[in-house]
Amino acid sequence: MKKLCKLLAGFALALSAATSNANVVLNNLSATSSNISFDIVGTITTLGSGFQHQFGFGHVSNPALDWITSFNGGASSVSVSAPTKQAINTVYDLTGSYGESVWTSSSANWLIGDQIDLHYNLVGAFNLLNFDPNGLGFQVGYSVGPAIEKSNNILTQQTSAVPEPFTLALFGLGLAGLAISRRKKA
């Protein structure tokens, strides 16, 4: 019985860790009318059909929403941390029929499986009434249609690192199982 408790506890803890990991996560979002900053961390899982040296960030739910009033590309930046594969060369905005979004470009294409750890610092004039973190997406490779296409969106978790209830329940079950197995030992 002790071995079964330990096995179930270990399984529950492993499953809770696996369910809490998202492919690409947006963290540390800070938005004011003149500055938006956030981190993008994770693994590239989907590529658009063209321009795969580019990352795009913007609306998924409604590409017509205008959240960029003006954009200062010279003052905006994207910094990279390990294990990111390569540097970001430029930062610019894409508006109009392409949707409202911010794009970056690198010297080489990004590939599925590449790890990214990026910090965006966007400077300009932003309409925060239209800036909804739940409507944002992240895409590698601009192809056709809206700048951020739902089918190519790789942002799986929007703004928090708060575990889901199921994840917390599994973690709790794992801790309870470990406590029971240790108490029976004593």
Side-chain angles (χ1 to χ4, degrees):
M1 185 67 173
K2 268 194 282 186
K3 285 186 180 182
L4 180 61
C5 278
K6 279 186 178 180
L7 182 64
L8 287 175
F11 178 72
L13 286 172
L15 189 56
S16 72
T19 58
S20 64
N21 292 334
N23 288 329
V24 175
V25 182
L26 185 150
N27 288 321
N28 304 318
L29 175 65
S30 171
T32 69
S33 61
S34 60
N35 181 260
I36 296 176
S37 65
F38 54 90
D39 299 323
I40 296 277
V41 180
T43 304
I44 296 173
T45 56
T46 304
L47 299 174
S49 61
F51 302 104
Q52 291 166 355
H53 61 288
Q54 296 179 333
F55 285 131
F57 172 80
H59 280 280
V60 168
S61 59
N62 186 353
L65 287 175
D66 182 10
W67 59 276
I68 302 174
T69 306
S70 66
F71 187 74
N72 186 337
S76 298
S77 64
V78 178
S79 54
V80 298
S81 300
T84 306
K85 179 173 93 171
Q86 59 186 328
I88 302 291
N89 298 332
T90 56
V91 185
Y92 62 97
D93 69 324
L94 196 61
T95 59
S97 61
Y98 299 103
E100 193 73 49
S101 58
V102 172
W103 286 83
T104 66
S105 64
S106 300
S107 56
N109 285 345
W110 298 91
L111 304 173
I112 290 178
D114 283 347
Q115 300 291 307
I116 50 175
D117 187 346
L118 308 172
H119 175 73
Y120 281 69
N121 183 40
L122 309 178
V123 179
F126 304 108
N127 181 352
L128 296 183
L129 294 176
N130 285 346
F131 184 79
D132 178 6
N134 296 315
L136 296 174
F138 191 72
Q139 178 176 318
V140 183
Y142 168 70
S143 52
V144 295
I148 302 295
E149 301 165 303
K150 287 184 181 181
S151 61
N152 293 324
N153 179 26
I154 59 173
L155 188 61
T156 54
Q157 181 179 341
Q158 294 340 1
T159 56
S160 70
V162 177
E164 296 176 5
F166 179 70
T167 303
L168 286 175
L170 281 173
F171 186 72
L173 179 65
L175 288 178
L178 286 175
I180 289 171
S181 70
R182 286 188 184 254
R183 193 168 56 187
K184 286 186 177 184
K185 256 187 190 177

